[in-house]
mmCIF file of all heavy atoms in Angstrom:
data_model
loop_
_atom_site.group_PDB
_atom_site.id
_atom_site.type_symbol
_atom_site.label_atom_id
_atom_site.label_comp_id
_atom_site.label_asym_id
_atom_site.label_seq_id
_atom_site.Cartn_x
_atom_site.Cartn_y
_atom_site.Cartn_z
ATOM 1 N N VAL A 785 84.651 102.468 124.749
ATOM 2 C CA VAL A 785 85.559 102.881 123.675
ATOM 3 C C VAL A 785 86.853 103.456 124.253
ATOM 4 O O VAL A 785 87.954 103.176 123.744
ATOM 5 C CB VAL A 785 84.851 103.908 122.763
ATOM 6 C CG1 VAL A 785 85.826 104.490 121.759
ATOM 7 C CG2 VAL A 785 83.683 103.257 122.037
ATOM 8 N N ALA A 786 86.751 104.232 125.314
ATOM 9 C CA ALA A 786 87.953 104.798 125.944
ATOM 10 C C ALA A 786 88.838 103.705 126.527
ATOM 11 O O ALA A 786 90.069 103.758 126.416
ATOM 12 C CB ALA A 786 87.551 105.796 127.026
ATOM 13 N N ALA A 787 88.225 102.689 127.158
ATOM 14 C CA ALA A 787 89.013 101.589 127.719
ATOM 15 C C ALA A 787 89.743 100.821 126.627
ATOM 16 O O ALA A 787 90.919 100.452 126.778
ATOM 17 C CB ALA A 787 88.092 100.656 128.504
ATOM 18 N N ILE A 788 89.072 100.572 125.504
ATOM 19 C CA ILE A 788 89.721 99.867 124.391
ATOM 20 C C ILE A 788 90.844 100.711 123.796
ATOM 21 O O ILE A 788 91.916 100.199 123.455
ATOM 22 C CB ILE A 788 88.675 99.496 123.328
ATOM 23 C CG1 ILE A 788 87.664 98.505 123.901
ATOM 24 C CG2 ILE A 788 89.335 98.917 122.084
ATOM 25 C CD1 ILE A 788 86.506 98.199 122.983
ATOM 26 N N ALA A 789 90.614 102.012 123.683
ATOM 27 C CA ALA A 789 91.654 102.887 123.139
ATOM 28 C C ALA A 789 92.889 102.933 124.040
ATOM 29 O O ALA A 789 94.021 102.998 123.550
ATOM 30 C CB ALA A 789 91.093 104.296 122.949
ATOM 31 N N LEU A 790 92.682 102.874 125.353
ATOM 32 C CA LEU A 790 93.826 102.877 126.269
ATOM 33 C C LEU A 790 94.629 101.586 126.171
ATOM 34 O O LEU A 790 95.860 101.600 126.251
ATOM 35 C CB LEU A 790 93.337 103.084 127.702
ATOM 36 C CG LEU A 790 92.872 104.495 128.069
ATOM 37 C CD1 LEU A 790 92.291 104.518 129.468
ATOM 38 C CD2 LEU A 790 94.032 105.483 127.972
ATOM 39 N N THR A 791 93.954 100.461 126.000
ATOM 40 C CA THR A 791 94.681 99.190 125.916
ATOM 41 C C THR A 791 95.409 99.025 124.596
ATOM 42 O O THR A 791 96.384 98.282 124.523
ATOM 43 C CB THR A 791 93.710 98.009 126.096
ATOM 44 O OG1 THR A 791 92.671 98.108 125.108
ATOM 45 C CG2 THR A 791 93.090 98.029 127.467
ATOM 46 N N LEU A 792 94.966 99.718 123.546
ATOM 47 C CA LEU A 792 95.591 99.584 122.229
ATOM 48 C C LEU A 792 96.622 100.668 121.957
ATOM 49 O O LEU A 792 97.007 100.867 120.811
ATOM 50 C CB LEU A 792 94.518 99.615 121.136
ATOM 51 C CG LEU A 792 93.550 98.427 121.118
ATOM 52 C CD1 LEU A 792 92.524 98.603 120.012
ATOM 53 C CD2 LEU A 792 94.307 97.120 120.932
ATOM 54 N N ARG A 793 97.061 101.367 122.974
ATOM 55 C CA ARG A 793 98.045 102.417 122.738
ATOM 56 C C ARG A 793 99.392 101.808 122.326
ATOM 57 O O ARG A 793 99.710 100.682 122.693
ATOM 58 C CB ARG A 793 98.224 103.273 123.996
ATOM 59 C CG ARG A 793 99.064 102.635 125.081
ATOM 60 C CD ARG A 793 99.041 103.470 126.346
ATOM 61 N NE ARG A 793 100.070 103.091 127.290
ATOM 62 C CZ ARG A 793 99.986 102.075 128.114
ATOM 63 N NH1 ARG A 793 98.916 101.306 128.101
ATOM 64 N NH2 ARG A 793 100.971 101.796 128.957
ATOM 65 N N ARG A 794 100.144 102.562 121.584
ATOM 66 C CA ARG A 794 101.414 102.073 121.065
ATOM 67 C C ARG A 794 102.523 102.273 122.085
ATOM 68 O O ARG A 794 102.661 103.344 122.672
ATOM 69 C CB ARG A 794 101.766 102.818 119.774
ATOM 70 C CG ARG A 794 100.797 102.546 118.638
ATOM 71 C CD ARG A 794 100.914 101.119 118.156
ATOM 72 N NE ARG A 794 99.956 100.820 117.095
ATOM 73 C CZ ARG A 794 99.836 99.637 116.529
ATOM 74 N NH1 ARG A 794 100.596 98.641 116.920
ATOM 75 N NH2 ARG A 794 98.944 99.440 115.578
ATOM 76 N N ARG A 795 103.326 101.230 122.271
ATOM 77 C CA ARG A 795 104.492 101.315 123.144
ATOM 78 C C ARG A 795 105.734 101.360 122.257
ATOM 79 O O ARG A 795 105.842 100.587 121.302
ATOM 80 C CB ARG A 795 104.532 100.129 124.094
ATOM 81 C CG ARG A 795 103.358 100.082 125.054
ATOM 82 C CD ARG A 795 103.439 98.835 125.940
ATOM 83 N NE ARG A 795 102.364 98.811 126.933
ATOM 84 C CZ ARG A 795 101.167 98.319 126.721
ATOM 85 N NH1 ARG A 795 100.861 97.806 125.548
ATOM 86 N NH2 ARG A 795 100.249 98.320 127.666
ATOM 87 N N PRO A 796 106.698 102.222 122.580
ATOM 88 C CA PRO A 796 107.831 102.416 121.650
ATOM 89 C C PRO A 796 108.733 101.191 121.521
ATOM 90 O O PRO A 796 109.344 101.002 120.479
ATOM 91 C CB PRO A 796 108.579 103.607 122.267
ATOM 92 C CG PRO A 796 108.174 103.614 123.707
ATOM 93 C CD PRO A 796 106.767 103.111 123.744
ATOM 94 N N PHE A 797 108.853 100.364 122.553
ATOM 95 C CA PHE A 797 109.792 99.244 122.519
ATOM 96 C C PHE A 797 109.095 97.891 122.337
ATOM 97 O O PHE A 797 109.660 96.858 122.657
ATOM 98 C CB PHE A 797 110.612 99.226 123.814
ATOM 99 C CG PHE A 797 111.379 100.499 124.040
ATOM 100 C CD1 PHE A 797 110.967 101.413 124.990
ATOM 101 C CD2 PHE A 797 112.505 100.796 123.278
ATOM 102 C CE1 PHE A 797 111.660 102.596 125.195
ATOM 103 C CE2 PHE A 797 113.203 101.970 123.483
ATOM 104 C CZ PHE A 797 112.783 102.874 124.438
ATOM 105 N N THR A 798 107.881 97.907 121.844
ATOM 106 C CA THR A 798 107.139 96.664 121.624
ATOM 107 C C THR A 798 106.932 96.449 120.138
ATOM 108 O O THR A 798 106.570 97.372 119.411
ATOM 109 C CB THR A 798 105.774 96.730 122.343
ATOM 110 O OG1 THR A 798 105.988 96.993 123.725
ATOM 111 C CG2 THR A 798 105.032 95.405 122.206
ATOM 112 N N LYS A 799 107.174 95.231 119.689
ATOM 113 C CA LYS A 799 106.999 94.889 118.279
ATOM 114 C C LYS A 799 105.573 94.418 118.048
ATOM 115 O O LYS A 799 105.045 93.627 118.824
ATOM 116 C CB LYS A 799 107.986 93.803 117.862
ATOM 117 C CG LYS A 799 109.445 94.255 117.906
ATOM 118 C CD LYS A 799 110.366 93.148 117.435
ATOM 119 C CE LYS A 799 111.828 93.609 117.453
ATOM 120 N NZ LYS A 799 112.739 92.529 116.995
ATOM 121 N N TYR A 800 104.952 94.900 116.997
ATOM 122 C CA TYR A 800 103.567 94.573 116.675
ATOM 123 C C TYR A 800 103.498 93.908 115.307
ATOM 124 O O TYR A 800 104.275 94.234 114.401
ATOM 125 C CB TYR A 800 102.692 95.834 116.666
ATOM 126 C CG TYR A 800 102.541 96.494 118.013
ATOM 127 C CD1 TYR A 800 103.412 97.502 118.404
ATOM 128 C CD2 TYR A 800 101.533 96.110 118.887
ATOM 129 C CE1 TYR A 800 103.288 98.109 119.640
ATOM 130 C CE2 TYR A 800 101.400 96.721 120.117
ATOM 131 C CZ TYR A 800 102.269 97.725 120.492
ATOM 132 O OH TYR A 800 102.139 98.322 121.712
ATOM 133 N N GLN A 801 102.593 92.987 115.182
ATOM 134 C CA GLN A 801 102.303 92.398 113.887
ATOM 135 C C GLN A 801 101.280 93.249 113.146
ATOM 136 O O GLN A 801 100.376 93.806 113.756
ATOM 137 C CB GLN A 801 101.766 90.972 114.056
ATOM 138 C CG GLN A 801 102.798 89.986 114.544
ATOM 139 C CD GLN A 801 102.244 88.581 114.588
ATOM 140 O OE1 GLN A 801 101.048 88.377 114.470
ATOM 141 N NE2 GLN A 801 103.125 87.611 114.758
ATOM 142 N N LYS A 802 101.429 93.323 111.839
ATOM 143 C CA LYS A 802 100.493 94.059 110.997
ATOM 144 C C LYS A 802 99.851 93.076 110.023
ATOM 145 O O LYS A 802 100.438 92.734 108.981
ATOM 146 C CB LYS A 802 101.211 95.173 110.242
ATOM 147 C CG LYS A 802 101.775 96.238 111.182
ATOM 148 C CD LYS A 802 102.430 97.376 110.423
ATOM 149 C CE LYS A 802 102.933 98.446 111.387
ATOM 150 N NZ LYS A 802 103.587 99.571 110.673
ATOM 151 N N PRO A 803 98.669 92.571 110.378
ATOM 152 C CA PRO A 803 98.042 91.537 109.541
ATOM 153 C C PRO A 803 97.770 91.995 108.109
ATOM 154 O O PRO A 803 97.854 91.200 107.182
ATOM 155 C CB PRO A 803 96.732 91.229 110.276
ATOM 156 C CG PRO A 803 96.970 91.674 111.681
ATOM 157 C CD PRO A 803 97.886 92.847 111.574
ATOM 158 N N GLU A 804 97.463 93.289 107.921
ATOM 159 C CA GLU A 804 97.157 93.752 106.569
ATOM 160 C C GLU A 804 98.369 93.652 105.651
ATOM 161 O O GLU A 804 98.255 93.332 104.467
ATOM 162 C CB GLU A 804 96.630 95.194 106.605
ATOM 163 C CG GLU A 804 97.616 96.262 107.062
ATOM 164 C CD GLU A 804 97.728 96.381 108.575
ATOM 165 O OE1 GLU A 804 97.098 95.567 109.264
ATOM 166 O OE2 GLU A 804 98.431 97.289 109.037
ATOM 167 N N LYS A 805 99.574 93.862 106.186
ATOM 168 C CA LYS A 805 100.784 93.720 105.390
ATOM 169 C C LYS A 805 101.155 92.251 105.196
ATOM 170 O O LYS A 805 101.710 91.877 104.158
ATOM 171 C CB LYS A 805 101.944 94.473 106.048
ATOM 172 C CG LYS A 805 101.788 95.978 106.019
ATOM 173 C CD LYS A 805 103.031 96.670 106.538
ATOM 174 C CE LYS A 805 102.904 98.192 106.421
ATOM 175 N NZ LYS A 805 104.132 98.880 106.912
ATOM 176 N N GLN A 806 100.856 91.415 106.203
ATOM 177 C CA GLN A 806 101.144 89.996 106.068
ATOM 178 C C GLN A 806 100.263 89.352 104.996
ATOM 179 O O GLN A 806 100.704 88.467 104.261
ATOM 180 C CB GLN A 806 100.932 89.291 107.412
ATOM 181 C CG GLN A 806 101.945 89.709 108.462
ATOM 182 C CD GLN A 806 101.644 89.091 109.815
ATOM 183 O OE1 GLN A 806 100.554 88.570 110.023
ATOM 184 N NE2 GLN A 806 102.592 89.154 110.724
ATOM 185 N N VAL A 807 99.014 89.782 104.894
ATOM 186 C CA VAL A 807 98.115 89.216 103.899
ATOM 187 C C VAL A 807 98.478 89.699 102.489
ATOM 188 O O VAL A 807 98.385 88.941 101.509
ATOM 189 C CB VAL A 807 96.650 89.588 104.242
ATOM 190 C CG1 VAL A 807 95.706 89.151 103.121
ATOM 191 C CG2 VAL A 807 96.236 88.934 105.548
ATOM 192 N N ALA A 808 98.909 90.933 102.375
ATOM 193 C CA ALA A 808 99.201 91.509 101.059
ATOM 194 C C ALA A 808 100.595 91.176 100.548
ATOM 195 O O ALA A 808 100.980 91.634 99.464
ATOM 196 C CB ALA A 808 99.035 93.023 101.119
ATOM 197 N N VAL A 809 101.366 90.391 101.259
ATOM 198 C CA VAL A 809 102.731 90.089 100.851
ATOM 199 C C VAL A 809 102.723 89.170 99.634
ATOM 200 O O VAL A 809 101.827 88.351 99.436
ATOM 201 C CB VAL A 809 103.509 89.455 102.026
ATOM 202 C CG1 VAL A 809 103.026 88.048 102.286
ATOM 203 C CG2 VAL A 809 104.999 89.479 101.750
ATOM 204 N N ARG A 810 103.749 89.308 98.762
ATOM 205 C CA ARG A 810 103.898 88.465 97.574
ATOM 206 C C ARG A 810 105.152 87.620 97.712
ATOM 207 O O ARG A 810 106.038 87.897 98.522
ATOM 208 C CB ARG A 810 103.980 89.333 96.323
ATOM 209 C CG ARG A 810 102.716 90.168 96.066
ATOM 210 C CD ARG A 810 102.918 91.056 94.866
ATOM 211 N NE ARG A 810 104.052 91.975 95.109
ATOM 212 C CZ ARG A 810 104.547 92.795 94.172
ATOM 213 N NH1 ARG A 810 104.026 92.782 92.952
ATOM 214 N NH2 ARG A 810 105.544 93.596 94.456
ATOM 215 N N SER A 811 105.185 86.575 96.888
ATOM 216 C CA SER A 811 106.350 85.683 96.956
ATOM 217 C C SER A 811 107.628 86.407 96.565
ATOM 218 O O SER A 811 108.714 86.121 97.085
ATOM 219 C CB SER A 811 106.133 84.471 96.057
ATOM 220 O OG SER A 811 105.934 84.890 94.705
ATOM 221 N N ALA A 812 107.505 87.374 95.650
ATOM 222 C CA ALA A 812 108.704 88.109 95.231
ATOM 223 C C ALA A 812 109.277 88.966 96.351
ATOM 224 O O ALA A 812 110.463 89.304 96.337
ATOM 225 C CB ALA A 812 108.377 88.989 94.023
ATOM 226 N N ASP A 813 108.423 89.340 97.316
ATOM 227 C CA ASP A 813 108.910 90.142 98.441
ATOM 228 C C ASP A 813 109.645 89.304 99.466
ATOM 229 O O ASP A 813 110.427 89.841 100.258
ATOM 230 C CB ASP A 813 107.731 90.849 99.112
ATOM 231 C CG ASP A 813 107.007 91.781 98.152
ATOM 232 O OD1 ASP A 813 107.671 92.316 97.245
ATOM 233 O OD2 ASP A 813 105.773 91.947 98.321
ATOM 234 N N ARG A 814 109.407 88.006 99.489
ATOM 235 C CA ARG A 814 109.986 87.133 100.504
ATOM 236 C C ARG A 814 111.135 86.267 99.994
ATOM 237 O O ARG A 814 112.028 85.912 100.731
ATOM 238 C CB ARG A 814 108.883 86.215 101.067
ATOM 239 C CG ARG A 814 107.750 86.950 101.759
ATOM 240 C CD ARG A 814 108.215 87.639 103.014
ATOM 241 N NE ARG A 814 107.106 88.222 103.768
ATOM 242 C CZ ARG A 814 107.251 88.933 104.873
ATOM 243 N NH1 ARG A 814 108.452 89.151 105.358
ATOM 244 N NH2 ARG A 814 106.202 89.448 105.498
ATOM 245 N N LEU A 815 111.074 85.926 98.689
ATOM 246 C CA LEU A 815 112.031 84.962 98.152
ATOM 247 C C LEU A 815 112.649 85.512 96.876
ATOM 248 O O LEU A 815 111.931 86.017 95.995
ATOM 249 C CB LEU A 815 111.331 83.621 97.858
ATOM 250 C CG LEU A 815 112.198 82.529 97.245
ATOM 251 C CD1 LEU A 815 113.276 82.097 98.220
ATOM 252 C CD2 LEU A 815 111.344 81.328 96.829
ATOM 253 N N ARG A 816 113.942 85.417 96.773
ATOM 254 C CA ARG A 816 114.651 85.833 95.573
ATOM 255 C C ARG A 816 115.509 84.675 95.084
ATOM 256 O O ARG A 816 116.335 84.144 95.841
ATOM 257 C CB ARG A 816 115.520 87.057 95.853
ATOM 258 C CG ARG A 816 116.182 87.612 94.590
ATOM 259 C CD ARG A 816 116.981 88.863 94.888
ATOM 260 N NE ARG A 816 118.097 88.561 95.786
ATOM 261 C CZ ARG A 816 119.025 89.468 96.137
ATOM 262 N NH1 ARG A 816 118.930 90.707 95.702
ATOM 263 N NH2 ARG A 816 120.002 89.133 96.948
ATOM 264 N N VAL A 817 115.280 84.271 93.856
ATOM 265 C CA VAL A 817 116.024 83.165 93.250
ATOM 266 C C VAL A 817 117.215 83.747 92.485
ATOM 267 O O VAL A 817 117.045 84.593 91.585
ATOM 268 C CB VAL A 817 115.125 82.336 92.309
ATOM 269 C CG1 VAL A 817 115.918 81.204 91.673
ATOM 270 C CG2 VAL A 817 113.925 81.806 93.080
ATOM 271 N N VAL A 818 118.376 83.315 92.843
ATOM 272 C CA VAL A 818 119.614 83.798 92.222
ATOM 273 C C VAL A 818 120.217 82.657 91.411
ATOM 274 O O VAL A 818 120.440 81.554 91.942
ATOM 275 C CB VAL A 818 120.605 84.294 93.284
ATOM 276 C CG1 VAL A 818 121.896 84.779 92.629
ATOM 277 C CG2 VAL A 818 119.977 85.407 94.108
ATOM 278 N N LYS A 819 120.442 82.895 90.141
ATOM 279 C CA LYS A 819 121.072 81.905 89.269
ATOM 280 C C LYS A 819 122.574 82.143 89.249
ATOM 281 O O LYS A 819 123.042 83.237 88.934
ATOM 282 C CB LYS A 819 120.497 82.011 87.860
ATOM 283 C CG LYS A 819 119.035 81.601 87.775
ATOM 284 C CD LYS A 819 118.547 81.652 86.341
ATOM 285 C CE LYS A 819 117.087 81.216 86.267
ATOM 286 N NZ LYS A 819 116.571 81.223 84.845
ATOM 287 N N MET A 820 123.302 81.119 89.560
ATOM 288 C CA MET A 820 124.764 81.196 89.568
ATOM 289 C C MET A 820 125.329 80.067 88.712
ATOM 290 O O MET A 820 124.776 78.958 88.704
ATOM 291 C CB MET A 820 125.300 81.096 90.999
ATOM 292 C CG MET A 820 124.815 82.205 91.908
ATOM 293 S SD MET A 820 125.435 82.036 93.584
ATOM 294 C CE MET A 820 127.202 82.160 93.281
ATOM 295 N N SER A 821 126.365 80.363 88.062
ATOM 296 C CA SER A 821 127.038 79.334 87.250
ATOM 297 C C SER A 821 127.787 78.372 88.160
ATOM 298 O O SER A 821 128.320 78.755 89.193
ATOM 299 C CB SER A 821 127.971 79.986 86.245
ATOM 300 O OG SER A 821 128.941 80.767 86.951
ATOM 301 N N SER A 822 127.771 77.157 87.786
ATOM 302 C CA SER A 822 128.462 76.138 88.589
ATOM 303 C C SER A 822 129.949 76.295 88.481
ATOM 304 O O SER A 822 130.495 76.730 87.456
ATOM 305 C CB SER A 822 128.019 74.748 88.151
ATOM 306 O OG SER A 822 128.376 74.557 86.795
ATOM 307 N N GLU A 823 130.638 75.931 89.484
ATOM 308 C CA GLU A 823 132.081 76.010 89.505
ATOM 309 C C GLU A 823 132.654 74.618 89.717
ATOM 310 O O GLU A 823 132.120 73.837 90.520
ATOM 311 C CB GLU A 823 132.569 76.958 90.627
ATOM 312 C CG GLU A 823 132.124 78.403 90.432
ATOM 313 C CD GLU A 823 132.620 79.279 91.558
ATOM 314 O OE1 GLU A 823 133.272 78.730 92.472
ATOM 315 O OE2 GLU A 823 132.363 80.493 91.522
ATOM 316 N N ASP A 824 133.700 74.367 89.034
ATOM 317 C CA ASP A 824 134.363 73.071 89.162
ATOM 318 C C ASP A 824 135.537 73.211 90.103
ATOM 319 O O ASP A 824 136.525 73.902 89.802
ATOM 320 C CB ASP A 824 134.818 72.594 87.783
ATOM 321 C CG ASP A 824 135.374 71.175 87.852
ATOM 322 O OD1 ASP A 824 135.178 70.526 88.906
ATOM 323 O OD2 ASP A 824 135.990 70.738 86.845
ATOM 324 N N ARG A 825 135.394 72.649 91.233
ATOM 325 C CA ARG A 825 136.464 72.740 92.226
ATOM 326 C C ARG A 825 137.202 71.408 92.285
ATOM 327 O O ARG A 825 136.605 70.340 92.399
ATOM 328 C CB ARG A 825 135.888 73.064 93.617
ATOM 329 C CG ARG A 825 135.290 74.454 93.686
ATOM 330 C CD ARG A 825 134.864 74.748 95.083
ATOM 331 N NE ARG A 825 134.322 76.082 95.200
ATOM 332 C CZ ARG A 825 133.879 76.622 96.349
ATOM 333 N NH1 ARG A 825 133.911 75.891 97.448
ATOM 334 N NH2 ARG A 825 133.405 77.855 96.379
ATOM 335 N N LYS A 826 138.479 71.472 92.202
ATOM 336 C CA LYS A 826 139.314 70.286 92.276
ATOM 337 C C LYS A 826 140.178 70.310 93.523
ATOM 338 O O LYS A 826 140.621 71.343 93.935
ATOM 339 C CB LYS A 826 140.194 70.197 91.052
ATOM 340 C CG LYS A 826 139.424 70.005 89.761
ATOM 341 C CD LYS A 826 140.345 69.879 88.593
ATOM 342 C CE LYS A 826 139.593 69.676 87.280
ATOM 343 N NZ LYS A 826 140.488 69.559 86.128
#
């Protein structure tokens, strides 16, 4: 247990993935649909 705890220590300049947040994500959190009126350019 001590060896596993030492290997899983947090490093300040390393980016980590968080699977629990990746699984709980919703489409509204990732994608936003913006409706814009068309413009006529000549």
Side-chain angles (χ1 to χ4, degrees):
V785 172
I788 296 173
L790 286 174
T791 56
L792 293 179
R793 77 187 194 279
R794 295 292 178 182
R795 296 178 176 87
F797 302 106
T798 304
K799 294 182 179 180
Y800 294 92
Q801 290 184 348
K802 296 183 178 180
E804 66 277 5
K805 291 186 176 181
Q806 293 175 346
V807 173
V809 72
R810 298 176 300 173
S811 59
D813 300 330
R814 298 294 186 183
L815 178 65
R816 185 177 64 175
V817 179
V818 179
K819 293 183 179 181
M820 299 179 62
S821 59
S822 62
E823 297 180 359
D824 186 12
R825 293 185 178 181
K826 295 182 180 180

